[in-house]
Amino acid sequence: NTPYIENRQSPIFIEVAVSNKCNVACTTCDSFFSSGWNRYDREMSGHPEFVQRRELVNTSFKVNDEFMDELFETVQNNIECNIELIGGEPMFNKSVLKFLKRFSDSKLKNCLTITTNCTLITDEIINQLKQVNDLIIVCSIDAIGPLYNYIRDYNFDVVENNIKKLLTLDANILVMPVFSLFNVFNIPDLILWHNQLATKMNTKIKLINFVKAPYYASLENIPSFMLEDTIDQLKDIYMLNLNTIHRYELQELIKTLSGYKTFSNMLEHKNSLTTDAYAVWEPKWQAILSEAPWQQWIQDDDFFDCKDQFLERMHSWIIENDLNTINVTSLESFRFNRRDSIIGSTQALDE
């Protein structure tokens, strides 16, 4: 709503990545954005692509008191300038906490947005946030219960309690999940949990973020037939006309999941698999992948350079080995531990 002014000299929006210091290690992150990943990245092994992640352990950046003081003076002198603080985890930075206290005590009219994992929301922080006139809290929550614990490497019960505190504020509270192969089947549960938690009309769940990288966490790794139940559940939720979602976002989410180009879809577009072969491939693709000669392939330094090259190699292997004769094992036999899923689908599927 800021009016257009030609040759404007002062900013109207400043986003600050305050630090890569973070107290959690989300499955789709790394040490460049989260120091919580250091204990995992320093142990990375296998293909050079993964070993290179060890170098990220040395990444460290954060704002200091001087920087945040300058930021405060900027917004204090420009009521139209809005601020967004992202991380790492902003609440994990002492300079940010000092800025927040100064900002709230001064009762500035500027809009303040904070993206947080909601793990460090103390009563003192809540009291400071209550004094902010125009506040948006973006809560990074991808799932609920044990699945949250796995994805975010933290205790969901603590986060849920902190969300309840935030929802008491006179502020806009946005829940912002990132959709990946780790949580796509639990999207309906997350939507309904948030809706049940909302006691005021001050909160929405955003349904717009999809993992693009790391590629192993992308929804492209899930066969389309496996998404059908989730899509049906989302359609049922759409009919509930909930106030805690934007209906057009839910429509787009359903459309996106329905038309997602999965790994097997892309193979189909090669137009070389027979109809019978594809009928076997689609429902059992993960099991078939476990039969592939991964150890031989990953010795090739160029193997991970290009997704298209991977598809060509995989496609040729399927044709050469006659898909219909491959011994298919039960999907029930696949178990992914945290480190396997982080390293990537190639090693995770290798039993």
Side-chain angles (χ1 to χ4, degrees), residues 79-118:
I79 193 173
E80 294 182 331
C81 183
N82 301 319
I83 302 296
E84 180 169 6
L85 304 179
I86 63 175
E89 171 52 38
M91 303 303 184
F92 205 42
N93 186 305
K94 292 181 178 179
S95 295
V96 171
L97 297 180
K98 292 178 182 177
F99 170 87
L100 176 59
K101 186 177 188 312
R102 190 176 178 189
F103 190 99
S104 61
D105 288 347
S106 299
K107 293 182 171 50
L108 299 179
K109 302 296 184 181
N110 310 69
C111 178
L112 175 63
T113 301
I114 304 175
T115 298
T116 174
N117 59 33
C118 301

mmCIF file of all heavy atoms in Angstrom, residues 79-118:
data_model
loop_
_atom_site.group_PDB
_atom_site.id
_atom_site.type_symbol
_atom_site.label_atom_id
_atom_site.label_comp_id
_atom_site.label_asym_id
_atom_site.label_seq_id
_atom_site.Cartn_x
_atom_site.Cartn_y
_atom_site.Cartn_z
ATOM 1 N N ILE A 79 9.203 5.848 8.046
ATOM 2 C CA ILE A 79 8.043 5.089 8.494
ATOM 3 C C ILE A 79 7.518 4.144 7.420
ATOM 4 O O ILE A 79 6.802 3.174 7.704
ATOM 5 C CB ILE A 79 6.924 6.058 8.944
ATOM 6 C CG1 ILE A 79 5.837 5.291 9.713
ATOM 7 C CG2 ILE A 79 6.326 6.777 7.736
ATOM 8 C CD1 ILE A 79 4.799 6.182 10.337
ATOM 9 N N GLU A 80 7.881 4.405 6.152
ATOM 10 C CA GLU A 80 7.411 3.545 5.064
ATOM 11 C C GLU A 80 8.285 2.322 4.861
ATOM 12 O O GLU A 80 7.951 1.436 4.072
ATOM 13 C CB GLU A 80 7.355 4.337 3.760
ATOM 14 C CG GLU A 80 6.305 5.448 3.758
ATOM 15 C CD GLU A 80 6.267 6.155 2.431
ATOM 16 O OE1 GLU A 80 7.324 6.205 1.753
ATOM 17 O OE2 GLU A 80 5.200 6.639 2.053
ATOM 18 N N CYS A 81 9.413 2.248 5.556
ATOM 19 C CA CYS A 81 10.353 1.140 5.359
ATOM 20 C C CYS A 81 9.943 -0.062 6.212
ATOM 21 O O CYS A 81 9.892 0.026 7.446
ATOM 22 C CB CYS A 81 11.771 1.579 5.719
ATOM 23 S SG CYS A 81 13.011 0.317 5.424
ATOM 24 N N ASN A 82 9.658 -1.175 5.566
ATOM 25 C CA ASN A 82 9.286 -2.405 6.253
ATOM 26 C C ASN A 82 10.480 -3.353 6.325
ATOM 27 O O ASN A 82 11.302 -3.398 5.399
ATOM 28 C CB ASN A 82 8.121 -3.089 5.537
ATOM 29 C CG ASN A 82 6.900 -2.188 5.460
ATOM 30 O OD1 ASN A 82 6.570 -1.493 6.418
ATOM 31 N ND2 ASN A 82 6.238 -2.187 4.311
ATOM 32 N N ILE A 83 10.533 -4.115 7.394
ATOM 33 C CA ILE A 83 11.683 -4.970 7.664
ATOM 34 C C ILE A 83 11.249 -6.425 7.738
ATOM 35 O O ILE A 83 10.209 -6.748 8.326
ATOM 36 C CB ILE A 83 12.361 -4.590 9.000
ATOM 37 C CG1 ILE A 83 12.807 -3.133 8.982
ATOM 38 C CG2 ILE A 83 13.547 -5.514 9.290
ATOM 39 C CD1 ILE A 83 13.872 -2.827 7.965
ATOM 40 N N GLU A 84 12.059 -7.311 7.145
ATOM 41 C CA GLU A 84 11.870 -8.746 7.347
ATOM 42 C C GLU A 84 13.182 -9.366 7.796
ATOM 43 O O GLU A 84 14.230 -9.162 7.170
ATOM 44 C CB GLU A 84 11.388 -9.448 6.077
ATOM 45 C CG GLU A 84 11.190 -10.946 6.311
ATOM 46 C CD GLU A 84 10.476 -11.652 5.176
ATOM 47 O OE1 GLU A 84 10.209 -11.016 4.137
ATOM 48 O OE2 GLU A 84 10.176 -12.858 5.334
ATOM 49 N N LEU A 85 13.126 -10.137 8.870
ATOM 50 C CA LEU A 85 14.303 -10.805 9.423
ATOM 51 C C LEU A 85 14.180 -12.304 9.180
ATOM 52 O O LEU A 85 13.198 -12.935 9.573
ATOM 53 C CB LEU A 85 14.419 -10.522 10.926
ATOM 54 C CG LEU A 85 14.454 -9.048 11.341
ATOM 55 C CD1 LEU A 85 14.546 -8.926 12.864
ATOM 56 C CD2 LEU A 85 15.612 -8.308 10.679
ATOM 57 N N ILE A 86 15.193 -12.863 8.511
ATOM 58 C CA ILE A 86 15.229 -14.295 8.255
ATOM 59 C C ILE A 86 16.559 -14.842 8.744
ATOM 60 O O ILE A 86 17.419 -14.093 9.193
ATOM 61 C CB ILE A 86 15.038 -14.603 6.753
ATOM 62 C CG1 ILE A 86 16.188 -14.001 5.930
ATOM 63 C CG2 ILE A 86 13.707 -14.069 6.255
ATOM 64 C CD1 ILE A 86 16.138 -14.372 4.460
ATOM 65 N N GLY A 87 16.739 -16.142 8.676
ATOM 66 C CA GLY A 87 17.961 -16.746 9.198
ATOM 67 C C GLY A 87 18.652 -17.622 8.184
ATOM 68 O O GLY A 87 18.507 -17.417 6.989
ATOM 69 N N GLY A 88 19.249 -18.713 8.753
ATOM 70 C CA GLY A 88 19.286 -19.194 10.133
ATOM 71 C C GLY A 88 17.995 -18.995 10.907
ATOM 72 O O GLY A 88 16.931 -18.990 10.378
ATOM 73 N N GLU A 89 18.178 -18.852 12.192
ATOM 74 C CA GLU A 89 17.067 -18.593 13.095
ATOM 75 C C GLU A 89 17.266 -17.242 13.768
ATOM 76 O O GLU A 89 18.186 -17.072 14.570
ATOM 77 C CB GLU A 89 16.964 -19.698 14.147
ATOM 78 C CG GLU A 89 15.973 -19.421 15.264
ATOM 79 C CD GLU A 89 14.585 -19.035 14.754
ATOM 80 O OE1 GLU A 89 14.125 -19.609 13.748
ATOM 81 O OE2 GLU A 89 13.965 -18.145 15.373
ATOM 82 N N PRO A 90 16.434 -16.236 13.442
ATOM 83 C CA PRO A 90 16.603 -14.899 14.005
ATOM 84 C C PRO A 90 16.637 -14.875 15.530
ATOM 85 O O PRO A 90 17.414 -14.115 16.125
ATOM 86 C CB PRO A 90 15.396 -14.133 13.464
ATOM 87 C CG PRO A 90 15.082 -14.814 12.178
ATOM 88 C CD PRO A 90 15.363 -16.272 12.424
ATOM 89 N N MET A 91 15.814 -15.697 16.181
ATOM 90 C CA MET A 91 15.749 -15.684 17.643
ATOM 91 C C MET A 91 16.980 -16.308 18.291
ATOM 92 O O MET A 91 17.119 -16.313 19.510
ATOM 93 C CB MET A 91 14.495 -16.420 18.122
ATOM 94 C CG MET A 91 13.194 -15.860 17.572
ATOM 95 S SD MET A 91 12.973 -14.101 17.949
ATOM 96 C CE MET A 91 11.325 -13.835 17.263
ATOM 97 N N PHE A 92 17.874 -16.822 17.462
ATOM 98 C CA PHE A 92 19.116 -17.444 17.939
ATOM 99 C C PHE A 92 20.257 -16.433 17.940
ATOM 100 O O PHE A 92 21.395 -16.784 18.255
ATOM 101 C CB PHE A 92 19.457 -18.627 17.027
ATOM 102 C CG PHE A 92 20.299 -19.694 17.662
ATOM 103 C CD1 PHE A 92 20.072 -20.132 18.953
ATOM 104 C CD2 PHE A 92 21.325 -20.294 16.944
ATOM 105 C CE1 PHE A 92 20.843 -21.132 19.533
ATOM 106 C CE2 PHE A 92 22.101 -21.298 17.504
ATOM 107 C CZ PHE A 92 21.847 -21.716 18.798
ATOM 108 N N ASN A 93 19.943 -15.183 17.581
ATOM 109 C CA ASN A 93 20.949 -14.139 17.441
ATOM 110 C C ASN A 93 20.708 -13.041 18.483
ATOM 111 O O ASN A 93 19.654 -12.398 18.488
ATOM 112 C CB ASN A 93 20.881 -13.558 16.018
ATOM 113 C CG ASN A 93 21.986 -12.572 15.730
ATOM 114 O OD1 ASN A 93 22.170 -11.593 16.444
ATOM 115 N ND2 ASN A 93 22.738 -12.824 14.666
ATOM 116 N N LYS A 94 21.666 -12.810 19.358
ATOM 117 C CA LYS A 94 21.507 -11.839 20.441
ATOM 118 C C LYS A 94 21.319 -10.422 19.918
ATOM 119 O O LYS A 94 20.581 -9.624 20.512
ATOM 120 C CB LYS A 94 22.710 -11.906 21.377
ATOM 121 C CG LYS A 94 22.794 -13.207 22.168
ATOM 122 C CD LYS A 94 23.993 -13.205 23.104
ATOM 123 C CE LYS A 94 24.050 -14.493 23.921
ATOM 124 N NZ LYS A 94 25.226 -14.533 24.836
ATOM 125 N N SER A 95 21.982 -10.097 18.813
ATOM 126 C CA SER A 95 21.837 -8.755 18.248
ATOM 127 C C SER A 95 20.415 -8.524 17.751
ATOM 128 O O SER A 95 19.882 -7.415 17.849
ATOM 129 C CB SER A 95 22.834 -8.558 17.097
ATOM 130 O OG SER A 95 24.168 -8.602 17.568
ATOM 131 N N VAL A 96 19.794 -9.580 17.241
ATOM 132 C CA VAL A 96 18.411 -9.476 16.792
ATOM 133 C C VAL A 96 17.477 -9.273 17.979
ATOM 134 O O VAL A 96 16.535 -8.469 17.924
ATOM 135 C CB VAL A 96 18.004 -10.741 15.999
ATOM 136 C CG1 VAL A 96 16.504 -10.739 15.714
ATOM 137 C CG2 VAL A 96 18.788 -10.819 14.703
ATOM 138 N N LEU A 97 17.730 -9.976 19.066
ATOM 139 C CA LEU A 97 16.891 -9.823 20.257
ATOM 140 C C LEU A 97 16.996 -8.408 20.828
ATOM 141 O O LEU A 97 15.997 -7.841 21.291
ATOM 142 C CB LEU A 97 17.288 -10.856 21.310
ATOM 143 C CG LEU A 97 17.077 -12.319 20.912
ATOM 144 C CD1 LEU A 97 17.516 -13.250 22.039
ATOM 145 C CD2 LEU A 97 15.625 -12.573 20.546
ATOM 146 N N LYS A 98 18.184 -7.834 20.766
ATOM 147 C CA LYS A 98 18.352 -6.447 21.212
ATOM 148 C C LYS A 98 17.581 -5.497 20.291
ATOM 149 O O LYS A 98 16.942 -4.543 20.756
ATOM 150 C CB LYS A 98 19.834 -6.075 21.228
ATOM 151 C CG LYS A 98 20.649 -6.805 22.294
ATOM 152 C CD LYS A 98 22.119 -6.414 22.210
ATOM 153 C CE LYS A 98 22.951 -7.168 23.241
ATOM 154 N NZ LYS A 98 24.397 -6.837 23.124
ATOM 155 N N PHE A 99 17.660 -5.757 18.994
ATOM 156 C CA PHE A 99 16.921 -4.944 18.017
ATOM 157 C C PHE A 99 15.422 -5.051 18.275
ATOM 158 O O PHE A 99 14.708 -4.040 18.242
ATOM 159 C CB PHE A 99 17.251 -5.412 16.601
ATOM 160 C CG PHE A 99 16.381 -4.806 15.533
ATOM 161 C CD1 PHE A 99 16.715 -3.585 14.963
ATOM 162 C CD2 PHE A 99 15.232 -5.458 15.095
ATOM 163 C CE1 PHE A 99 15.913 -3.022 13.975
ATOM 164 C CE2 PHE A 99 14.429 -4.904 14.116
ATOM 165 C CZ PHE A 99 14.770 -3.677 13.549
ATOM 166 N N LEU A 100 14.942 -6.258 18.535
ATOM 167 C CA LEU A 100 13.515 -6.469 18.769
ATOM 168 C C LEU A 100 13.040 -5.687 19.983
ATOM 169 O O LEU A 100 11.972 -5.062 19.952
ATOM 170 C CB LEU A 100 13.236 -7.960 18.956
ATOM 171 C CG LEU A 100 11.797 -8.346 19.302
ATOM 172 C CD1 LEU A 100 10.840 -7.875 18.218
ATOM 173 C CD2 LEU A 100 11.687 -9.851 19.517
ATOM 174 N N LYS A 101 13.820 -5.698 21.042
ATOM 175 C CA LYS A 101 13.445 -4.952 22.251
ATOM 176 C C LYS A 101 13.391 -3.456 21.972
ATOM 177 O O LYS A 101 12.446 -2.762 22.370
ATOM 178 C CB LYS A 101 14.423 -5.233 23.385
ATOM 179 C CG LYS A 101 14.009 -4.594 24.707
ATOM 180 C CD LYS A 101 14.969 -4.953 25.808
ATOM 181 C CE LYS A 101 14.442 -4.470 27.168
ATOM 182 N NZ LYS A 101 13.989 -3.072 27.169
ATOM 183 N N ARG A 102 14.385 -2.969 21.262
ATOM 184 C CA ARG A 102 14.437 -1.540 20.946
ATOM 185 C C ARG A 102 13.281 -1.153 20.026
ATOM 186 O O ARG A 102 12.654 -0.106 20.193
ATOM 187 C CB ARG A 102 15.775 -1.217 20.294
ATOM 188 C CG ARG A 102 16.060 0.267 20.138
ATOM 189 C CD ARG A 102 17.448 0.492 19.578
ATOM 190 N NE ARG A 102 17.724 1.904 19.388
ATOM 191 C CZ ARG A 102 18.786 2.391 18.760
ATOM 192 N NH1 ARG A 102 19.684 1.533 18.258
ATOM 193 N NH2 ARG A 102 18.961 3.683 18.620
ATOM 194 N N PHE A 103 12.994 -2.019 19.056
ATOM 195 C CA PHE A 103 11.915 -1.770 18.111
ATOM 196 C C PHE A 103 10.568 -1.734 18.831
ATOM 197 O O PHE A 103 9.748 -0.833 18.611
ATOM 198 C CB PHE A 103 11.916 -2.879 17.044
ATOM 199 C CG PHE A 103 11.001 -2.623 15.881
ATOM 200 C CD1 PHE A 103 11.502 -2.114 14.689
ATOM 201 C CD2 PHE A 103 9.646 -2.901 15.959
ATOM 202 C CE1 PHE A 103 10.662 -1.887 13.604
ATOM 203 C CE2 PHE A 103 8.801 -2.677 14.893
ATOM 204 C CZ PHE A 103 9.309 -2.157 13.708
ATOM 205 N N SER A 104 10.334 -2.696 19.699
ATOM 206 C CA SER A 104 9.051 -2.768 20.400
ATOM 207 C C SER A 104 8.899 -1.643 21.420
ATOM 208 O O SER A 104 7.821 -1.059 21.556
ATOM 209 C CB SER A 104 8.908 -4.131 21.083
ATOM 210 O OG SER A 104 9.938 -4.338 22.042
ATOM 211 N N ASP A 105 9.966 -1.332 22.126
ATOM 212 C CA ASP A 105 9.908 -0.255 23.127
ATOM 213 C C ASP A 105 9.621 1.096 22.478
ATOM 214 O O ASP A 105 8.976 1.960 23.088
ATOM 215 C CB ASP A 105 11.224 -0.168 23.901
ATOM 216 C CG ASP A 105 11.416 -1.331 24.874
ATOM 217 O OD1 ASP A 105 10.433 -2.054 25.122
ATOM 218 O OD2 ASP A 105 12.541 -1.522 25.362
ATOM 219 N N SER A 106 10.084 1.267 21.248
ATOM 220 C CA SER A 106 9.911 2.547 20.550
ATOM 221 C C SER A 106 8.540 2.672 19.900
ATOM 222 O O SER A 106 8.179 3.750 19.421
ATOM 223 C CB SER A 106 10.993 2.707 19.473
ATOM 224 O OG SER A 106 12.283 2.708 20.066
ATOM 225 N N LYS A 107 7.813 1.536 19.856
ATOM 226 C CA LYS A 107 6.459 1.526 19.287
ATOM 227 C C LYS A 107 6.410 2.128 17.882
ATOM 228 O O LYS A 107 5.548 2.949 17.546
ATOM 229 C CB LYS A 107 5.489 2.239 20.216
ATOM 230 C CG LYS A 107 5.285 1.502 21.534
ATOM 231 C CD LYS A 107 4.283 2.206 22.421
ATOM 232 C CE LYS A 107 3.927 1.348 23.638
ATOM 233 N NZ LYS A 107 5.076 0.821 24.380
ATOM 234 N N LEU A 108 7.352 1.700 17.053
ATOM 235 C CA LEU A 108 7.407 2.180 15.677
ATOM 236 C C LEU A 108 6.211 1.667 14.885
ATOM 237 O O LEU A 108 5.640 0.616 15.187
ATOM 238 C CB LEU A 108 8.712 1.721 15.011
ATOM 239 C CG LEU A 108 10.016 2.223 15.661
ATOM 240 C CD1 LEU A 108 11.223 1.672 14.894
ATOM 241 C CD2 LEU A 108 10.067 3.741 15.697
ATOM 242 N N LYS A 109 5.832 2.410 13.862
ATOM 243 C CA LYS A 109 4.691 2.043 13.031
ATOM 244 C C LYS A 109 5.087 1.136 11.863
ATOM 245 O O LYS A 109 4.225 0.602 11.173
ATOM 246 C CB LYS A 109 4.035 3.311 12.464
ATOM 247 C CG LYS A 109 3.561 4.291 13.526
ATOM 248 C CD LYS A 109 2.449 3.696 14.385
ATOM 249 C CE LYS A 109 1.927 4.736 15.373
ATOM 250 N NZ LYS A 109 0.854 4.174 16.244
ATOM 251 N N ASN A 110 6.381 0.966 11.640
ATOM 252 C CA ASN A 110 6.846 0.145 10.522
ATOM 253 C C ASN A 110 6.403 -1.295 10.686
ATOM 254 O O ASN A 110 6.305 -1.816 11.796
ATOM 255 C CB ASN A 110 8.375 0.186 10.438
ATOM 256 C CG ASN A 110 8.942 1.588 10.469
ATOM 257 O OD1 ASN A 110 8.867 2.260 11.501
ATOM 258 N ND2 ASN A 110 9.518 2.019 9.368
ATOM 259 N N CYS A 111 6.170 -1.959 9.548
ATOM 260 C CA CYS A 111 5.814 -3.380 9.581
ATOM 261 C C CYS A 111 7.078 -4.210 9.807
ATOM 262 O O CYS A 111 8.088 -4.027 9.119
ATOM 263 C CB CYS A 111 5.151 -3.801 8.278
ATOM 264 S SG CYS A 111 4.730 -5.551 8.216
ATOM 265 N N LEU A 112 7.012 -5.123 10.751
ATOM 266 C CA LEU A 112 8.133 -6.012 11.053
ATOM 267 C C LEU A 112 7.695 -7.450 10.793
ATOM 268 O O LEU A 112 6.703 -7.921 11.348
ATOM 269 C CB LEU A 112 8.564 -5.860 12.509
ATOM 270 C CG LEU A 112 9.660 -6.829 12.999
ATOM 271 C CD1 LEU A 112 10.966 -6.607 12.239
ATOM 272 C CD2 LEU A 112 9.877 -6.675 14.504
ATOM 273 N N THR A 113 8.439 -8.140 9.945
ATOM 274 C CA THR A 113 8.176 -9.552 9.651
ATOM 275 C C THR A 113 9.358 -10.382 10.140
ATOM 276 O O THR A 113 10.516 -10.034 9.880
ATOM 277 C CB THR A 113 7.980 -9.787 8.144
ATOM 278 O OG1 THR A 113 6.889 -8.990 7.684
ATOM 279 C CG2 THR A 113 7.710 -11.249 7.851
ATOM 280 N N ILE A 114 9.061 -11.450 10.849
ATOM 281 C CA ILE A 114 10.110 -12.346 11.344
ATOM 282 C C ILE A 114 9.772 -13.768 10.911
ATOM 283 O O ILE A 114 8.693 -14.279 11.217
ATOM 284 C CB ILE A 114 10.231 -12.301 12.881
ATOM 285 C CG1 ILE A 114 10.485 -10.877 13.363
ATOM 286 C CG2 ILE A 114 11.350 -13.230 13.356
ATOM 287 C CD1 ILE A 114 10.496 -10.734 14.886
ATOM 288 N N THR A 115 10.681 -14.391 10.193
ATOM 289 C CA THR A 115 10.540 -15.803 9.836
ATOM 290 C C THR A 115 11.296 -16.632 10.858
ATOM 291 O O THR A 115 12.506 -16.451 11.043
ATOM 292 C CB THR A 115 11.077 -16.076 8.424
ATOM 293 O OG1 THR A 115 10.315 -15.327 7.472
ATOM 294 C CG2 THR A 115 10.989 -17.557 8.084
ATOM 295 N N THR A 116 10.598 -17.530 11.526
ATOM 296 C CA THR A 116 11.186 -18.264 12.650
ATOM 297 C C THR A 116 10.774 -19.724 12.642
ATOM 298 O O THR A 116 9.697 -20.077 12.126
ATOM 299 C CB THR A 116 10.758 -17.619 13.985
ATOM 300 O OG1 THR A 116 11.221 -18.430 15.076
ATOM 301 C CG2 THR A 116 9.252 -17.482 14.082
ATOM 302 N N ASN A 117 11.619 -20.575 13.200
ATOM 303 C CA ASN A 117 11.245 -21.985 13.337
ATOM 304 C C ASN A 117 10.419 -22.231 14.605
ATOM 305 O O ASN A 117 10.037 -23.373 14.883
ATOM 306 C CB ASN A 117 12.489 -22.885 13.315
ATOM 307 C CG ASN A 117 13.484 -22.566 14.425
ATOM 308 O OD1 ASN A 117 13.123 -22.157 15.527
ATOM 309 N ND2 ASN A 117 14.761 -22.771 14.143
ATOM 310 N N CYS A 118 10.168 -21.186 15.374
ATOM 311 C CA CYS A 118 9.263 -21.236 16.538
ATOM 312 C C CYS A 118 9.773 -22.135 17.666
ATOM 313 O O CYS A 118 8.983 -22.599 18.503
ATOM 314 C CB CYS A 118 7.861 -21.697 16.135
ATOM 315 S SG CYS A 118 7.089 -20.645 14.907
#
